[in-house]
Amino acid sequence: MRGLLDVASTAYGFAMVVLVVTFVISDMSAITFAKALTLLLFVIGSILCVDGGLGLRSRIDRTWKALRFGRVAVWFSAAKIACGVTAMLLVTVGLGL
């Protein structure tokens, strides 16, 4: 499961770079950019919530290629869930555009 999350995070980063470059060099409107960004926020928010949930359950966290166990892993996992929930709240704002 961890490998799939890593692949999805890498794909998210690549898609974000492509989106920003496309916005800069083309005549994409700001509203189109915001809607595409909303989709990418949903992806990263989902990844963070799932990764945080797995970390809370297993008490093991791997962030930035550092492996953590116990209480520190729980704190990192809770922070990931908080960031994922924040991203989802921003998705609801983006859907209202």
Side-chain angles (χ1 to χ4, degrees):
M1 183 74 173
R2 181 74 64 183
L4 291 175
L5 293 174
D6 289 340
V7 169
S9 296
T10 302
Y12 162 78
F14 180 71
M16 183 64 79
V17 169
V18 169
L19 177 65
V20 170
V21 168
T22 303
F23 180 67
V24 169
I25 65 172
S26 73
D27 60 347
M28 180 187 294
S29 68
I31 194 75
T32 304
F33 176 76
K35 288 184 180 192
L37 186 68
T38 299
L39 177 67
L40 289 176
L41 273 174
F42 177 76
V43 170
I44 197 63
S46 300
I47 291 170
L48 286 171
C49 286
V50 168
D51 194 18
L54 289 172
L56 282 178
R57 183 158 173 88
S58 67
R59 301 180 65 89
I60 300 171
D61 178 68
R62 187 174 65 93
T63 304
W64 299 307
K65 299 192 182 200
L67 197 59
R68 295 170 185 85
F69 299 96
R71 185 177 296 162
V72 176
V74 169
W75 282 104
F76 268 83
S77 298
K80 285 181 181 180
I81 290 174
C83 290
V85 168
T86 303
M88 293 299 179
L89 290 174
L90 288 172
V91 166
T92 60
V93 170
L95 290 176
L97 294 175

